[in-house]
Amino acid sequence: PSTMSIDRGPKLDFYMSLQTMCHIVLVYQDQMRTEHYRRTDTGWDLDVLSKPQEVLEFSAVAFRISLETVYFDLNV
């Protein structure tokens, strides 16, 4: 929580400015929530995932993982 404003502000802007960056994910520690930014032809799309059955997918590297797995054995 103490770095949230930096992570979602200048740091996120910097990552989005990198031409080779395709996916950016912010994973919350205090709740089951991820924010997945995907580069598209027109900019960036945001998907917010917050349910165990939802799947985080990185199409650039053919990787998929459920939030249930990401948060395995954590009390959130």
Side-chain angles (χ1 to χ4, degrees):
S2 64
T3 64
M4 181 84 61
S5 62
I6 295 170
D7 295 341
R8 297 185 81 212
K11 196 182 284 189
L12 181 60
D13 291 340
F14 171 73
Y15 290 139
M16 287 180 165
S17 74
L18 300 173
Q19 293 300 313
T20 57
M21 187 69 68
C22 297
H23 299 274
I24 302 167
V25 178
L26 300 176
V27 179
Y28 285 61
Q29 296 177 352
D30 59 345
Q31 61 181 299
M32 184 175 289
R33 179 186 171 97
T34 64
E35 295 176 1
H36 178 204
Y37 296 86
R38 287 180 295 108
R39 184 183 294 277
T40 68
D41 292 337
T42 59
W44 289 90
D45 282 346
L46 170 62
D47 292 322
V48 177
L49 307 172
S50 60
K51 296 182 177 93
Q53 69 274 15
E54 292 182 299
V55 175
L56 181 60
E57 182 173 356
F58 304 129
S59 57
V61 292
F63 178 78
R64 296 171 46 95
I65 189 168
S66 70
L67 256 60
E68 180 177 39
T69 302
V70 171
Y71 286 94
F72 173 76
D73 206 27
L74 295 176
N75 295 324
V76 291

